[in-house]
């Protein structure tokens, strides 16, 4: 009686979740779907008994077997991205988290898959990347030396003016490109903006003897990583 009550409570919990949920057996066949799956993606009882691959686009079907294996080996699979196929054949980007279901003795019974629509997140990422490309396009054409440096002294971007007059940095560090050094400067003034978060102005003399007025700004890449402009 207690086991039946616990099972009923578990089903009610799954059905009340805001993410779409399917439960599969250990072969990957669907044994339960919740209301959110129907509300967001259209699938309901008609997929019971079907393989979970029915719900994903063909190119992502191969991702499910490693996820199922991970659940059996470690009890979970996290942050799987792919595209789910809705009942009306639309492709929707989703994030999937899976957990192994076991009996009281710890024996595996099946897998519960929580499926979240990340369409809005994908759109935001695309918009952010478009803004990044526009910024780099603007910097590319400025008639001044422009470069973006990372905390590890690598040059992530150098504009055309920079490349034509100082050279293409390729995989070289900023201290190699700008000063001809084999190691970072003892006190790199540019790097100080990462700790102060304040822009700075300074005079800079290139190893060729030319003197420049330099403006240094703290910046963040599209993924939030710190950069120096």
């Amino acid at each position: 009686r207690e086991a039946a009550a616990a099972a009923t409570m578990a089903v009610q919990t799954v059905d009340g979740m805001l993410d779409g949920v399917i439960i599969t057996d250990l072969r990957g066949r669907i044994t339960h779907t919740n209301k959110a799956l129907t509300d967001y993606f259209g699938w309901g009882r008609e997929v019971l008994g079907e393989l979970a691959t029915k719900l994903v686009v063909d190119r992502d079907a191969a991702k499910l077997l490693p996820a199922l294996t991970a659940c059996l080996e470690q009890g979970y699979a996290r942050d799987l991205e792919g595209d789910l196929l809705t009942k009306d054949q639309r492709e929707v980007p989703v994030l999937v988290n899976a957990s192994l279901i076991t009996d009281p003795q710890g024996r595996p019974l099946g897998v519960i898959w929580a499926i979240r629509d990340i369409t809005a997140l994908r759109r935001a990422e695309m918009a952010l990347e478009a803004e990044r490309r526009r910024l780099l396009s603007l910097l590319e054409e400025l008639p001044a030396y422009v470069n973006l440096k990372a905390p590890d002294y690598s040059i992530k971007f150098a504009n055309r003016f920079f490349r034509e007059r100082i050279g293409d940095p390729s995989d070289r560090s900023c201290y190699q490109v700008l000063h001809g050094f084999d190691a970072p400067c003892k006190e790199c003034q540019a790097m100080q903006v990462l700790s102060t978060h304040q822009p700075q102005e300074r005079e800079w003399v290139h190893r060729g003897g030319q003197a420049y007025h330099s403006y240094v700004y703290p910046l963040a890449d599209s993924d939030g990583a710190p950069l120096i402009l």
Side-chain angles (χ1 to χ4, degrees):
R1 185 178 302 174
E2 291 180 359
T8 299
M9 184 178 297
V11 170
Q12 290 174 342
T13 300
V14 168
D15 287 342
M17 292 176 64
L18 297 179
D19 287 336
V21 173
I22 63 171
I23 296 176
T24 66
D25 60 21
L26 298 178
R27 296 176 300 167
R29 294 193 178 277
I30 299 171
T31 60
H32 185 80
T33 62
N34 74 339
K35 183 176 182 297
L37 189 81
T38 304
D39 292 343
Y40 293 136
F41 307 112
W43 297 112
R45 296 186 60 83
E46 71 276 3
V47 295
L48 296 182
E50 299 279 358
L51 287 171
T53 50
K54 181 181 178 68
L55 274 61
V56 299
V57 297
D58 290 342
R59 62 179 176 272
D60 288 332
K63 296 179 181 179
L64 293 183
L65 182 57
L68 187 59
T69 301
C71 283
L72 291 172
E73 292 179 349
Q74 62 190 26
Y76 62 88
R78 295 285 182 266
D79 298 332
L80 309 170
E81 290 195 33
D83 291 305
L84 185 142
L85 196 63
T86 66
K87 188 176 180 179
D88 59 2
Q89 303 302 295
R90 291 180 297 108
E91 294 184 11
V92 177
V94 295
L95 184 71
V96 180
N97 286 285
S99 296
L100 187 67
I101 302 171
T102 61
D103 66 13
Q105 286 72 45
R107 291 173 297 203
L109 297 176
V111 176
I112 181 169
W113 309 76
I115 305 165
R116 178 168 297 178
D117 183 344
I118 57 171
T119 301
L121 177 61
R122 286 275 181 89
R123 287 174 179 166
E125 290 174 344
M126 291 173 62
L128 192 60
E129 181 58 26
E131 286 298 318
R132 184 179 187 275
R133 288 196 299 268
R134 278 193 286 270
L135 171 62
L136 295 182
S137 178
L138 173 63
L139 297 179
E140 173 73 4
E141 302 304 326
L142 284 178
Y145 297 110
V146 178
N147 67 85
L148 290 172
K149 288 184 279 198
D152 64 358
Y153 301 98
S154 61
I155 297 178
K156 300 301 184 183
F157 170 82
N159 74 342
R160 183 163 58 190
F161 199 89
F162 185 106
R163 298 192 306 273
E164 290 176 351
R165 290 160 178 81
I166 295 183
D168 191 334
S170 299
D171 295 326
R172 294 177 295 161
S173 301
C174 63
Y175 51 83
Q176 295 172 313
V177 176
L178 299 176
H179 304 293
F181 296 160
D182 294 328
C185 306
K186 290 184 178 179
E187 292 185 9
C188 181
Q189 293 179 320
M191 290 294 171
Q192 292 175 4
V193 302
L194 293 178
S195 57
T196 64
H197 304 291
Q198 296 295 324
Q200 63 172 241
E201 296 181 41
R202 64 186 177 91
E203 294 295 326
W204 171 66
V205 179
H206 182 246
R207 58 194 171 103
Q210 300 94 333
Y212 300 97
H213 197 77
S214 173
Y215 300 86
V216 186
Y217 302 91
L219 196 69
D221 206 347
S222 57
D223 61 357
L227 291 173
I228 300 165
L229 170 64

